Amino acid sequence: MIKKLRVAAYARVSTDKDDQANSLDNQRNYFTDYITRHEGWQLVNVFYDEGISGTQTKKRKGFMEMIAEAEAGEIDLIITKEVSRFARNTVDTLSYTRELKKIGVGVIFTLDNIDTRQSDGEFRLTIMASIAQEESRKTSERVKWGQRRQMEKGVVFGRDLLGYTVKDGNLYINEEEAEIVRAIFHKYTNEGKGTHIIARELQEEGMRPKRIALWSNVVILRVLRNEKYVGDLMQKKTITPDYLTHKKKYNRGEEGMVYIKEHHEPIISRDLWERTQEELQRRSPSEEQKSKYSNRYWCSGKLFCAECGRRYVSRLRKREDGSVSKTWRCIAAAHHGRKKQDADGKDIGCDNTSVNEESLKTCMNYCISLIQSEREGLKKEILEEINCIRKKQNQKLDVQKLEKQIAQIELKKTKAIDLMLGGVISKEDLQNQTEWYNDKLEHLNKEFLDAKCRDKLENSQTDAMEQYIMALDDIMNLQGDNELIYNEVLDRIDLHKNNVLDVWLKEIPVGIRLKIRTSGRRASYKTEILETDFIEKQ
């Protein structure tokens, strides 16, 4: 008994109920009829995705399930109507059909009359996929143009936000949430409270933000700066520059924004809005102040908790003798204490310990002296490594030679077409010759890419090592105030439990892990280095 060919079908169906031509039932019937007309075929399944763009295959669940079953050996052949239904990204189309072909699975595009199992299938597929991709680009441009015209007319694009519901392109006040918005503006502008305090008060009062679990100063600031609450509408704050990836980014002037004043019913008055913006401006630090506070402490923004990944913040404590002791603590522990769960079951707090600033300075002094004492030995090892890399570079394949060989093959392909058009060779001879040229080009292109990647990697390794040597010399030559030196050479410190610190210096490709012990209290604080290890950067 002859084994039947296991055939799967793929369809992208419209979410528009009026689009009967592309409905799932119609496409099932179409594929069932198509397959039953071929003796020796049996339908395995009809995979489909509903209302999803064809430019990104990774987001199409049905498509990826079909590919997985094909790779598992459960499908012999895939049929789909058009290239544009399979994928509108040329790279994805060719990549997936090639991978399928390697495992013996062909793809037939019924309306485009393309079968990837045939010798000219890939050539014709490339043309059709490029056309589909260009059509996708044009469609994207048309959609963008249409959306902008709609925005200019006042149609709202986007989802609900705190205080408003979006329905049929209009904003409607959600009165229950609007009270929270009014409270935020009142607390900030009329009561003079800070964003951190407002966030804490709202959390304690049992009020919940929209779509996230906890209030934060960032969420409060977004509310205070959102023009929708005064009745104005600004759109195109984010844009999608690449129609293939669909990734959004903030609009930094690449496209003009659409601003409509007094567009909808406001939640707060114009007077409160303007006073709030003035207050935000007044409290916002100037560039000079930002620089001042960002450099206020030598390790500001450079200490991280290795347990929860959060930053360490400074805390000042007054000693009995009147002097001030500075310690650094994980911000999660500073805000919420030891690790626990809140009312919503979310983990808050941190069990990591605090560290005294004097201990950090002791560790920095030790690390700098360690690097200085090991400098010559480290430089010697690095120079030897650089010499080894350069020897490899001298022995590598000649990239220019490969480029020349590729160009020669491409020229021969062109000449072969001319010979066929001139009647010197047959179409069949051309196809055979072209296949040979393509195999040769694939091999040469792989060698060329490998050589370029290796060249790039080795050059970057050499550059990194040369920068390492310069960094070692810089550490030796640093003079002046200790804290200025620490700030200059420190990249970051990761703090673990049990008094273990990973110190990373700028431009140095290894870190220094220290185990310390602290003793004494108040004014007589002492730190000992118990263990030292070099660790590699992950």
Side-chain angles (χ1 to χ4, degrees):
M1 183 177 178
I2 299 174
K3 185 180 177 181
K4 287 190 175 183
L5 206 63
R6 297 165 298 173
V7 184
Y10 176 73
R12 266 194 313 111
V13 298
S14 173
T15 53
D16 186 352
K17 293 180 181 178
D18 296 329
D19 187 5
Q20 294 299 317
N22 289 319
S23 70
L24 181 59
D25 287 339
N26 282 344
Q27 292 203 46
R28 281 185 187 277
N29 293 335
Y30 169 82
F31 289 125
T32 302
D33 292 341
Y34 186 90
I35 291 170
T36 53
R37 289 199 304 268
H38 291 76
E39 191 176 345
W41 285 15
Q42 66 174 12
L43 177 62
V44 175
N45 197 1
V46 176
F47 297 90
Y48 71 95
D49 290 294
E50 191 172 9
I52 298 176
S53 168
T55 53
Q56 281 189 293
T57 54
K58 289 182 180 178
K59 290 187 177 181
R60 291 191 274 157
K61 185 179 177 182
F63 183 89
M64 298 311 295
E65 285 180 1
M66 178 182 69
I67 297 298
E69 288 199 18
E71 289 175 343
E74 297 175 10
I75 298 171
D76 301 314
L77 181 65
I78 295 170
I79 61 171
T80 187
K81 275 188 173 183
E82 303 166 277
V83 174
S84 61
R85 292 278 158 189
F86 191 76
R88 291 194 179 179
N89 179 324
T90 306
V91 174
D92 280 346
T93 302
L94 295 176
S95 174
Y96 280 107
T97 53
R98 283 173 180 170
E99 289 301 315
L100 289 166
K101 191 174 181 179
K102 283 181 183 177
I103 58 176
V105 179
V107 183
I108 294 177
F109 303 89
T110 59
L111 299 186
D112 295 320
N113 196 26
I114 296 173
D115 186 342
T116 60
R117 298 172 299 177
Q118 296 176 354
S119 58
D120 64 343
E122 183 170 313
F123 173 71
R124 296 171 62 195
L125 180 60
T126 303
I127 295 172
M128 294 302 298
S130 299
I131 293 171
Q133 181 171 315
E134 179 61 14
E135 181 58 32
S136 183
R137 184 192 66 78
K138 289 179 180 178
T139 301
S140 175
E141 292 297 324
R142 288 195 294 268
V143 169
K144 280 185 179 180
W145 184 89
Q147 284 182 344
R148 187 171 187 87
R149 300 290 82 77
Q150 291 289 89
M151 288 177 183
E152 290 168 352
K153 292 177 183 178
V155 177
V156 179
F157 287 81
R159 57 185 179 176
D160 298 352
L161 69 155
L162 183 70
Y164 282 108
T165 300
V166 179
K167 186 177 180 182
D168 298 328
N170 296 301
L171 286 168
Y172 299 94
I173 292 179
N174 179 327
E175 198 54 50
E176 185 179 346
E177 294 177 351
E179 286 303 314
I180 301 175
V181 174
R182 295 187 187 103
I184 290 172
F185 277 87
H186 178 76
K187 287 173 183 285
Y188 184 83
T189 306
N190 297 335
E191 297 182 8
K193 294 178 179 178
T195 54
H196 287 282
I197 294 173
I198 296 172
R200 191 182 71 237
E201 287 183 353
L202 292 175
Q203 201 72 34
E204 290 171 352
E205 292 166 11
M207 297 181 181
R208 290 289 181 264
K210 208 170 185 92
R211 287 187 292 273
I212 56 176
L214 298 173
W215 291 100
S216 69
N217 68 308
V218 175
V219 175
I220 300 299
L221 283 171
R222 283 176 182 166
V223 171
L224 295 170
R225 290 172 175 156
N226 196 326
E227 77 292 334
K228 291 184 180 70
Y229 296 121
V230 74
D232 296 348
L233 177 67
M234 180 186 287
Q235 300 196 93
K236 298 290 285 186
K237 292 179 182 177
T238 60
I239 57 175
T240 309
D242 192 338
Y243 70 98
L244 293 176
T245 63
H246 295 285
K247 287 184 179 178
K248 290 185 179 293
K249 59 170 284 189
Y250 285 107
N251 187 357
R252 306 293 187 190
E254 293 91 342
E255 294 183 24
M257 295 186 187
V258 179
Y259 196 101
I260 301 176
K261 196 171 182 179
E262 298 179 356
H263 169 269
H264 53 270
E265 184 181 355
I267 290 177
I268 62 166
S269 67
R270 181 75 58 178
D271 174 67
L272 178 56
W273 166 259
E274 291 174 352
R275 287 191 291 115
T276 301
Q277 302 316 299
E278 289 174 4
E279 185 66 11
L280 283 166
Q281 183 66 30
R282 187 185 70 79
R283 296 194 203 179
S284 177
S286 63
E287 289 303 315
E288 182 179 348
Q289 288 173 320
K290 286 179 184 177
S291 176
K292 173 184 173 183
Y293 286 111
S294 65
N295 297 314
R296 187 174 180 181
Y297 304 120
W298 61 271
C299 54
S300 291
K302 297 181 179 182
L303 304 182
F304 295 89
C305 176
E307 304 302 316
C308 70
R310 306 289 292 279
R311 290 183 299 107
Y312 263 59
V313 293
S314 64
R315 291 291 182 265
L316 300 178
R317 294 180 181 176
K318 197 170 184 179
R319 297 188 178 110
E320 292 177 357
D321 62 359
S323 62
V324 176
S325 169
K326 188 192 299 178
T327 59
W328 292 81
R329 192 178 183 193
C330 174
I331 192 170
H335 286 176
H336 303 288
R338 295 183 65 82
K339 188 174 180 181
K340 54 185 174 290
Q341 290 188 332
D342 64 6
D344 296 326
K346 183 181 178 69
D347 289 336
I348 58 174
C350 182
D351 292 335
N352 211 346
T353 54
S354 58
V355 60
N356 188 281
E357 173 126 347
E358 296 306 316
S359 294
L360 293 175
K361 289 181 178 179
T362 300
C363 292
M364 284 300 299
N365 281 332
Y366 178 80
C367 290
I368 290 173
S369 63
L370 181 66
I371 292 294
Q372 288 175 337
S373 64
E374 298 287 336
R375 183 182 67 144
E376 293 307 320
L378 289 169
K379 283 179 68 173
K380 184 178 179 181
E381 288 180 17
I382 294 165
L383 289 170
E384 288 175 356
E385 187 68 27
I386 289 173
N387 288 332
C388 288
I389 291 172
R390 284 177 176 161
K391 284 179 182 177
K392 289 179 184 177
Q393 288 175 326
N394 293 333
Q395 297 169 357
K396 70 187 180 193
L397 290 169
D398 188 346
V399 174
Q400 290 183 344
K401 183 179 178 181
L402 288 168
E403 281 183 319
K404 189 175 179 180
Q405 289 177 358
I406 290 169
Q408 288 174 345
I409 296 293
E410 292 287 2
L411 182 61
K412 288 178 180 179
K413 279 182 66 177
T414 305
K415 287 182 177 178
I417 294 171
D418 292 338
L419 290 172
M420 189 273 291
L421 294 173
V424 177
I425 62 175
S426 67
K427 185 177 180 181
E428 185 179 347
D429 291 336
L430 174 64
Q431 288 178 347
N432 293 333
Q433 193 66 26
T434 301
E435 285 179 8
W436 187 87
Y437 286 143
N438 287 340
D439 289 341
K440 187 70 175 174
L441 282 170
E442 186 177 352
H443 177 72
L444 288 172
N445 279 319
K446 187 177 183 304
E447 281 190 11
F448 176 74
L449 289 173
D450 289 345
K452 285 200 74 173
C453 289
R454 185 168 57 251
D455 189 33
K456 186 177 179 180
L457 176 62
E458 289 169 352
N459 285 335
S460 65
Q461 288 175 336
T462 304
D463 290 342
M465 291 178 181
E466 288 173 347
Q467 287 177 8
Y468 182 12
I469 291 175
M470 291 171 62
L472 290 171
D473 290 333
D474 288 342
I475 290 174
M476 283 293 293
N477 297 327
L478 282 170
Q479 295 178 351
D481 181 80
N482 279 354
E483 289 194 11
L484 290 176
I485 294 173
Y486 301 155
N487 184 54
E488 186 71 24
V489 303
L490 178 63
D491 183 22
R492 64 183 282 155
I493 297 177
D494 295 320
L495 295 107
H496 301 262
K497 286 183 179 179
N498 304 319
N499 289 333
V500 174
L501 298 83
D502 294 340
V503 181
W504 305 95
L505 304 181
K506 291 177 182 176
E507 306 296 346
I508 307 296
V510 293
I512 304 166
R513 176 163 289 173
L514 304 176
K515 170 77 172 176
I516 66 172
R517 178 169 61 200
T518 57
S519 58
R521 294 175 62 84
R522 309 298 182 186
S524 58
Y525 203 80
K526 186 178 179 182
T527 302
E528 298 176 80
I529 310 293
L530 301 179
E531 297 176 15
T532 304
D533 287 304
F534 283 102
I535 53 176
E536 292 186 5
K537 196 170 277 188
Q538 298 298 316

